Amino acid sequence: MTTTTGHHRSKTDPRMPQLQRDVAARLAATEYERVADMLDRLTPEQWGTRTDCTEWDVRAMAGHMLGMIQMLASWPEMVRQQVASGRRAKREGCPAIDAMTALQVEKNAGLSTDELIAQVRRLAPRAARNRRRAPGVMRKQAMEDNGEWWSMGYLFDVILTRDPFMHRIDIASATGATMTATAEHEGVIVDDVVTEWAGRHGQAYDLELTGPAGGRWQHGGHSGAGENLTMDAFEFCRALSGRAPAEGLLRTQVPF
């Protein structure tokens, strides 16, 4: 996950998801399928490739992705990970999310790649179901992430889908593996990212993102007002996540 700049909201007014619940549920289930399918296509050499997350190769990144699914598939596992990562963060003086992802990588380091993929496929439907069924009282709770206040609903519906989506982009960028791109799935995620990005910076813009997941977005009264940007849809996400150089409005980050 990435930290952000911009509108941090407040504990009493945390960031809420803009996606409809049924759309968010569909995206979650499909994203997990995409993760398993991409991992299934990797060669032994590609598993060892370094990624934009500089401490991780593809194998470690996949261990983190499985760790998030394991956490979401079981409420006791969620509590266990949160308690263990809280203790580690305090002990090592690091952010809790960094401690959690490190523990996830370590937990799954002993699995073969086939075992890892099998666990993703087995546990992902349960993780998606638990996210979909999270009770309203839980969804409304506020949580803090590096000074920014989110609702748990925003975490469940948005961030927990953007995270594996962004890591698929990482793996494709690192290995040259094919990144699946459709308007129906990746395009919906990108559209939500653009909408949030536009709300965070509040400036006039004219944005064209290329590829099947792309589209055209404008704000500011007429064509040509504000910044004009044309780029690949996934490169746009890399810029907003802090993975690629960014200037102007692209410096307004969005959490993944």
Side-chain angles (χ1 to χ4, degrees), residues 85-134:
S85 60
R87 287 174 178 160
R88 182 168 181 159
K90 189 173 182 179
R91 185 172 67 246
E92 298 182 2
C94 65
I97 186 61
D98 292 347
M100 178 177 286
T101 56
L103 286 167
Q104 291 167 343
V105 171
E106 292 166 10
K107 171 185 172 68
N108 293 311
L111 298 175
S112 70
T113 54
D114 285 346
E115 289 169 337
L116 190 153
I117 295 166
Q119 279 213 35
V120 169
R121 292 199 186 278
R122 179 172 64 84
L123 296 176
R126 196 180 310 165
R129 184 171 65 249
N130 283 345
R131 287 169 57 184
R132 184 177 72 248
R133 293 180 178 176

Side-chain angles (χ1 to χ4, degrees), residues 71 73-81:
M71 178 183 74
S74 162
W75 297 122
E77 174 65 11
M78 179 178 287
V79 172
R80 189 197 70 78
Q81 286 197 27

